[in-house]
Amino acid sequence: DVKVTQSSRYLVKRTGEKVFLECVQDMDHENMFWYRQDPGLGLRLIYFSYDVKMKEKGDIPEGYSVSREKKERFSLILESASTNQTSMYLCASRLGTGIPGELFFGEGSRLTVL
Amino acid sequence: AQSVTQLGSHVSVSEGALVLLRCNYSSSVPPYLFWYVQYPNQGLQLLLKYTTGATLVKGINGFEAEFKKSETSFHLTKPSAHMSDAAEYFCAVSDRVNTGFQKLVFGTGTRLLVSP
């Protein structure tokens, strides 16, 4: 089975702290994604990556950056956390070519910024 | 840009009743269409998808969805709800393009509540 693992299920940080959210997938997928999920807003795409060292902005990239140094790992970075970044963060991966394939999701990281 | 609308943020049914979750998309060209489910404290998992061919698509756990081009709809149904179906359901759409990256756009979700 494909597994997408997010390093932290729950985090509490203070305003201004730097936050790292880690995601690892074990199926050699080219594409990886970071979404944030908020009630009433669904899933919104923050950043995605075609392949190693490739990254593209999604719909709401402000206040975030990403890193993909290895194919299996995609990190989301909040340089200076703010209270409006309190949210559920979901990582996903999929194969990169052809008809859009299934997105495989991690269990999510719930971040609270105080 | 592609968009998808899910009517009703919450839907309540009794166990054994028909489940109907609505999804409409905005596109002049039929896109690829998906339904995902999120159980409490879990990530999303694929229920079913429509890419081409038969317009009635069957998925896991007894769910199915029908692509209706004339109505730009892709509603999700299940004949008989089970308590374990209580979850949040997301409709998603992706452009039908042959090259380049295909981004998935999600609806706002519908929470299904099942009462005994």
Side-chain angles (χ1 to χ4, degrees):
Chain A
D1 282 351
V2 173
K3 193 165 177 65
V4 178
T5 303
Q6 295 184 229
S7 56
S8 304
R9 292 295 304 274
Y10 301 94
L11 304 94
V12 179
K13 299 291 181 181
R14 297 212 174 271
T15 301
E17 279 193 79
K18 191 168 186 176
V19 181
F20 292 87
L21 299 179
E22 303 284 337
C23 175
V24 177
Q25 52 94 2
D26 64 0
M27 281 301 290
D28 203 34
H29 285 169
E30 289 84 8
N31 300 166
M32 295 189 74
F33 305 80
W34 276 106
Y35 290 89
R36 66 176 281 176
Q37 181 180 10
D38 300 289
L41 297 178
L43 276 71
R44 293 179 292 165
L45 183 62
I46 305 171
Y47 267 94
F48 60 94
S49 170
Y50 293 95
D51 210 329
V52 181
K53 297 191 185 293
M54 307 297 287
K55 55 188 179 184
E56 295 287 338
K57 293 179 180 179
D59 300 317
I60 52 163
E62 296 78 18
Y64 304 95
S65 62
V66 290
S67 172
R68 190 151 180 219
E69 296 297 316
K70 294 186 178 182
K71 193 172 186 178
E72 68 271 17
R73 187 179 298 270
F74 192 35
S75 302
L76 180 69
I77 303 153
L78 288 67
E79 293 289 342
S80 177
S82 63
T83 54
N84 62 14
Q85 293 178 310
T86 292
S87 186
M88 171 70 87
Y89 291 88
L90 292 169
C91 175
S93 73
R94 74 175 184 198
L95 288 171
T97 57
I99 292 172
E102 179 177 355
L103 277 179
F104 292 87
F105 283 84
E107 293 188 319
S109 298
R110 185 168 294 282
L111 172 66
T112 301
V113 183
L114 302 175
Chain B
Q2 279 285 8
S3 69
V4 60
T5 302
Q6 291 184 242
L7 289 175
S9 59
H10 292 80
V11 170
S12 295
V13 300
S14 299
E15 195 172 18
L18 171 72
V19 175
L20 171 60
L21 304 182
R22 299 178 186 274
C23 173
N24 288 87
Y25 64 89
S26 66
S27 174
S28 57
V29 177
Y32 299 123
L33 295 155
F34 306 80
W35 275 100
Y36 282 81
V37 60
Q38 184 180 33
Y39 298 106
N41 298 314
Q42 294 186 24
L44 281 71
Q45 65 182 88
L46 183 68
L47 266 181
L48 49 80
K49 69 177 180 182
Y50 169 76
T51 55
T52 189
T55 56
L56 183 62
V57 180
K58 295 187 185 298
I60 61 172
N61 301 336
F63 283 92
E64 59 184 36
E66 187 170 11
F67 167 63
K68 291 188 176 180
K69 183 179 176 181
S70 60
E71 298 177 8
T72 61
S73 70
F74 191 57
H75 301 332
L76 182 70
T77 60
K78 183 174 180 177
S80 177
H82 193 273
M83 296 296 289
S84 60
D85 294 327
E88 190 154 21
Y89 293 81
F90 292 91
C91 184
V93 62
S94 178
D95 282 330
R96 187 178 293 271
V97 293
N98 294 323
T99 59
F101 189 85
Q102 295 137 349
K103 204 168 63 171
L104 212 58
V105 175
F106 286 86
T108 53
T110 298
R111 186 168 296 279
L112 177 66
L113 307 167
V114 183
S115 56

